[in-house]
Amino acid sequence: MPDKSIESVLQETRIFNPPSAKDVGGPNWLIASLDQYKKMYKESIDHPESFWANIANDFHWFKKWDTVLEWNAPDAKWFSGGTTNVCYNCVDRQVDSGHGNDPAIIWEGEPVSDTGTPTDQRTLTYKDLQTEVSKLANVLKSKGITKGDIVTIYMGMVPELAIAMLACARIGAPHSVIFGGFSAQAIADRVSDAKSKIILTCDGSWRRGKIVPLKKNVDDAIKTMANDSPVEHVLCLGRCHNDISWGKLDCCWKEETEKASADCPCEELESEDMLFLLYTSGSTGKPKGIVHTTAGYMIFTATTAKYTFNLVPHDQGGNQTFWCTADCGWITGHSYIVYGLLPNRVPTLMYEGGPDHPTPARFWQIVDRHKVTQFYTAPTAIRAFMKWGDQHPESADLSSLQVLGTVGEPINPEAWMWYRNKIGRGVCPIVDTYWQTETGGHIITPLPGATPTKPGSCTLPMFGIDAAVCDEAGNVAKENVGGLMTIRKPWPAMLRGVYGDRQRFINTYWSTVSKDGQPYYAAGDNTRRDELGNFWIMGRTDDVINVSGHRLGTMEVESALVSHESVVEAAVVGMPHEIKGTGVAAFITPAPGFEASDELKQALRAHVAKEIGAIAKPDLIRFTGALPKTRSGKIMRRLLRSIAAGDTNITQDMSTLEDLSVVAKLSEKDER
Ligand code: WT7
């Protein structure tokens, strides 16, 4: 997070009351006052079972549940005994109720013609989706995929990515979507852990006018796994028509789906059957596969999407198009492009490419072209837009916008104000949504028609979320006193485990805070509540950093670095970065025979990109004879953080070997 200016501190104390629905040109607010929110929130906490049962009644069930909640900490079972299907609730249900011809997914590809108009645009209705999803589901079946088999998806942002997720949900095969920016090695790690028999991919994906070679990365990942590879099939979609090699595992998406039947009934699944796995970084070791299950996740994401963004289907007076700019490779894309949106029957927009291609006005042209009503993005993107200049948003008509959302990292008040004034016409409410891969959906967020907002605060808890600022003994902190972000009761979309690692699940989330022998969920963030009860997120409690809203384990980057022949030891810490919020700083002790040089820096950056992906590339590399350590041998991370933060010119290339032990001696006292 960039350093706080006086202006920023002043803005944090300003309160913005929600506008009337008319002021933003939208349908009535679903929750139209703070009192209404408070009443409903209290009900959800005092009587969670009836609260969620009422909501669950609005979904399609093959068989109704017997019990709403079985809670045996840390294990929750929601809607036990019930059977349902997420794909049915997203797609078939809309077709069956006469909305088959309504737009479900609106897609824009990145390439544009000479006149700047996008060359690739598609709208899929619920009926189209039903056909495409059923065909692909039949292809999966024909490849031997059955209920419980984990399907890896590594694709660009094309409609077929959402189709692939829904096809998996249709047949009860959990998916594991890997972000298209991850490297071959990262794919190999995830595919081996999940033991996927099949990978769904594309030849390539468009990003800033270039082709990301997705199929090649998959080929390399399979080579890396060699004899240990569990992969039997690679189903490849032609998107960019770049050259690819074709091996004996490969099969063609188009050919296979063309000959497949469009009839594939939805599998009747248990509420607690696994819906997907999503890998995310932790403070130690390899990324962990977060497990989400069927009914609770579906109900919570659809409900939070509805209230946070005020989603109203067109036949009930809404005329909305929702756009979340995230990639489906992250939880934000799972929950707020696909699963939370489709059950609400508001069209969801997917965009393939970069925000500044061919110009930094691209996002605003998309808003204008499709009359987007809800826009959801990350603070890092907002800061980039601020830097690119106001002329870009000013060149487009943004008057369709009703609600603006942010997610992924704390938003600095300057960016919040700019977002409100330049994008939101000074009137659209901003919903700063705080949540995690593990929580499945929003846990702290304003509701646009109800919650007074303060720039930089994610404000109040979502329905059903018993959030508190606690110490380790579960005592609630006083007003404005920092503590651990804790959730004291189970909620429907909570993670059900870490795939294949029960102990890590318990250690990471359920061993930090407990009261009277009852473990509470510890989110891994520091937070405080102000005098109005608003939450302010103050950063991670672990060695996880948040780079451009993407979670990265510093240990992960360190192990990538030490796997390079030139590195003896590496320490990675976060540092303030103007656009990314947090940048990656690496302190490195080179191996004998390797000179500290700019060439070596470049080589190490490239190596990290190869091991993890471009998002993990260090912004700052400093070479040191030895890493500063305490007498007991622990790396002095706090010292490294302040050295990294003090370096105002982050692009400076100072390649000589430094002696940090001197600084270490000076700081050892306060480091302990
Ligand atoms: C971590 C979760 C949730 C989807 C994107 C990131 C940070 C997330 C906010 C926010 C302050 C935030 C937290 C959290 N974070 N949203 N609105 N304000 N911090 O998901 O990769 O699982 O990362 O992102 O540190 O723990 P994720």
Side-chain angles (χ1 to χ4, degrees):
M1 192 54 19
D3 273 346
K4 275 194 189 157
S5 62
I6 290 176
E7 258 161 85
S8 148
V9 173
L10 286 177
Q11 277 157 1
E12 285 178 2
T13 60
R14 289 178 68 179
I15 296 182
F16 294 86
N17 285 316
S20 75
K22 252 205 220 94
D23 287 345
V24 297
N28 287 342
W29 297 122
L30 298 168
I31 309 292
S33 71
L34 191 59
D35 278 349
Q36 194 188 348
Y37 156 78
K38 282 187 176 158
K39 236 175 102 190
M40 203 162 146
Y41 177 73
K42 188 169 183 308
E43 180 64 28
S44 75
I45 297 299
D46 293 348
H47 307 287
E49 304 197 13
S50 57
F51 180 88
W52 289 112
N54 276 335
I55 292 177
N57 272 323
D58 285 340
F59 288 76
H60 171 271
W61 296 85
F62 296 107
K63 178 176 168 284
K64 281 270 156 88
W65 57 91
D66 303 321
T67 3
V68 178
L69 172 65
E70 285 169 35
W71 176 230
N72 197 344
D75 300 304
K77 285 191 181 147
W78 285 89
F79 307 104
S80 287
T83 58
T84 183
N85 184 291
V86 175
C87 182
Y88 188 92
N89 278 283
C90 286
V91 180
D92 301 64
R93 193 176 176 212
Q94 319 297 12
V95 177
D96 292 351
S97 62
H99 297 284
N101 294 326
D102 291 358
I105 295 180
I106 296 168
W107 176 74
E108 200 174 295
E110 188 187 77
V112 291
S113 68
D114 295 343
T115 56
T117 5
T119 51
D120 306 330
Q121 295 196 60
R122 278 163 71 190
T123 296
L124 287 95
T125 63
Y126 292 99
K127 183 72 203 133
D128 296 335
L129 259 187
Q130 189 182 41
T131 307
E132 297 303 320
V133 168
S134 301
K135 286 183 164 206
L136 184 63
N138 279 327
V139 173
L140 292 175
K141 283 187 186 172
S142 76
K143 302 290 169 198
I145 302 301
T146 53
K147 193 181 152 187
D149 289 339
I150 296 169
V151 174
T152 294
I153 302 176
Y154 179 71
M155 298 173 70
M157 283 290 285
V158 286
E160 284 80 1
L161 168 49
I163 291 169
M165 294 163 71
L166 291 162
C168 292
R170 197 170 188 86
I171 61 172
H175 53 70
S176 159
V177 184
I178 303 177
F179 171 54
F182 279 126
S183 68
Q185 184 58 53
I187 302 170
D189 294 343
R190 288 159 175 78
V191 168
S192 317
D193 187 71
K195 298 182 197 60
S196 270
K197 287 194 279 193
I198 187 164
I199 304 180
L200 273 44
T201 190
C202 303
D203 51 2
S205 167
W206 288 108
R207 183 83 192 170
R208 295 198 160 106
K210 293 203 187 103
I211 295 173
V212 183
L214 297 174
K215 171 68 164 58
K216 182 183 180 298
N217 292 345
V218 168
D219 292 345
D220 291 349
I222 293 173
K223 256 182 238 145
T224 307
M225 292 183 280
N227 288 339
D228 297 331
S229 169
V231 181
E232 294 166 15
H233 306 282
V234 176
L235 186 64
C236 181
L237 175 78
R239 162 64 184 135
C240 302
H241 306 292
N242 47 316
D243 281 342
I244 52 171
S245 62
W246 203 255
K248 58 178 190 304
L249 306 183
D250 299 334
C251 38
C252 170
W253 189 298
K254 189 156 176 272
E255 258 172 42
E256 302 269 346
T257 48
E258 266 171 9
K259 61 182 191 213
S261 150
D263 181 26
C264 176
C266 291
E267 192 84 27
E268 189 172 332
L269 299 172
E270 306 281 332
S271 292
E272 286 297 336
D273 278 341
M274 200 200 302
L275 177 63
F276 65 85
L277 258 186
L278 184 60
Y279 286 87
T280 188
S281 297
S283 51
T284 53
K286 297 261 182 224
K288 48 196 173 197
I290 301 300
V291 175
H292 281 290
T293 57
T294 297
Y297 174 83
M298 164 177 84
I299 287 159
F300 191 74
T301 53
T303 305
T304 51
K306 174 174 162 182
Y307 290 119
T308 303
F309 297 110
N310 205 61
L311 298 180
V312 178
H314 70 95
D315 51 301
Q316 290 163 29
N319 180 18
Q320 301 178 323
T321 297
F322 176 93
W323 182 22
C324 163
T325 71
D327 191 287
C328 285
W330 308 107
I331 190 70
T332 309
H334 283 61
S335 300
Y336 299 107
I337 294 178
V338 182
Y339 293 122
L341 260 288
L342 294 171
N344 281 299
R345 219 154 29 76
V346 166
T348 176
L349 192 144
M350 279 177 88
Y351 169 59
E352 177 182 35
D356 52 351
H357 188 84
T359 74
R362 182 62 184 265
F363 268 22
W364 316 122
Q365 290 162 353
I366 295 177
V367 169
D368 191 345
R369 197 162 22 245
H370 302 282
K371 300 296 160 221
V372 169
T373 44
Q374 288 92 347
F375 178 74
Y376 192 27
T377 199
T380 183
I382 298 168
R383 289 190 294 267
F385 292 130
M386 285 171 78
K387 202 171 138 190
W388 291 334
D390 296 355
Q391 69 275 23
H392 301 296
E394 279 163 9
S395 72
D397 177 5
L398 305 180
S399 62
S400 57
L401 291 168
Q402 297 167 6
V403 179
L404 302 176
T406 84
V407 58
E409 47 174 325
I411 178 165
N412 48 312
E414 288 84 351
W416 197 101
M417 290 305 299
W418 184 89
Y419 197 29
R420 179 181 161 95
N421 291 330
K422 300 294 170 182
I423 307 303
R425 315 184 297 281
V427 48
C428 295
I430 294 178
V431 290
D432 173 355
T433 62
Y434 166 81
W435 56 298
Q436 309 176 296
T437 306
E438 293 86 342
T439 68
H442 304 151
I443 55 169
I444 315 274
T445 178
L447 302 184
T451 316
T453 48
K454 282 185 181 183
S457 167
C458 50
T459 73
L460 301 173
M462 177 47 74
F463 303 129
I465 300 296
D466 186 18
V469 186
C470 289
D471 64 11
E472 290 175 356
N475 301 313
V476 177
K478 293 208 180 78
E479 207 172 281
N480 283 314
V481 174
L484 304 166
M485 179 75 212
T486 306
I487 309 178
R488 297 175 295 193
K489 286 202 170 93
W491 68 103
M494 64 195 283
L495 78 163
R496 301 298 198 268
V498 170
Y499 189 65
D501 201 341
R502 174 84 184 162
Q503 205 50 50
R504 195 165 174 195
F505 171 61
I506 293 169
N507 292 352
T508 312
Y509 306 104
W510 304 98
S511 304
T512 314
V513 186
S514 65
K515 184 148 193 161
D516 306 328
Q518 182 76 1
Y520 289 164
Y521 176 81
D525 286 298
N526 285 312
T527 184
R528 70 177 166 88
R529 285 187 98 158
D530 66 16
E531 53 292 345
L532 300 173
N534 290 315
F535 281 86
W536 296 80
I537 306 299
M538 305 190 304
R540 300 280 313 181
T541 57
D542 51 14
D543 288 326
V544 165
I545 54 178
N546 206 311
V547 180
S548 300
H550 299 318
R551 212 206 281 193
L552 214 55
T554 51
M555 286 257 300
E556 234 179 305
V557 188
E558 286 166 6
S559 26
L561 284 164
V562 294
S563 73
H564 192 269
E565 51 172 2
S566 69
V567 178
V568 168
E569 202 176 24
V572 168
V573 294
M575 65 176 196
H577 187 286
E578 194 193 344
I579 303 290
K580 298 180 176 183
T582 304
V584 178
F587 293 83
I588 283 169
T589 310
F594 285 91
E595 290 284 308
S597 70
D598 290 343
E599 290 71 45
L600 184 54
K601 282 185 183 173
Q602 287 319 318
L604 290 173
R605 287 199 178 104
H607 182 70
V608 172
K610 186 174 144 276
E611 290 294 305
I612 305 174
I615 52 166
K617 277 203 260 185
D619 298 284
L620 170 78
I621 293 183
R622 285 177 66 166
F623 295 106
T624 165
L627 287 171
K629 289 188 183 154
T630 60
R631 237 166 293 186
S632 58
K634 279 177 86 180
I635 293 175
M636 299 165 84
R637 291 179 176 278
R638 196 144 57 93
L639 171 65
L640 292 180
R641 271 194 291 271
S642 55
I643 295 176
D647 200 326
T648 45
N649 182 5
I650 57 160
T651 54
Q652 90 175 4
D653 261 322
M654 181 185 53
S655 307
T656 47
L657 214 57
E658 300 172 75
D659 186 0
L660 291 179
S661 60
V662 182
V663 205
K665 286 211 178 74
L666 295 173
S667 337
E668 177 147 31
K669 232 176 35 215
D670 61 82
E671 192 68 32
R672 277 184 303 174

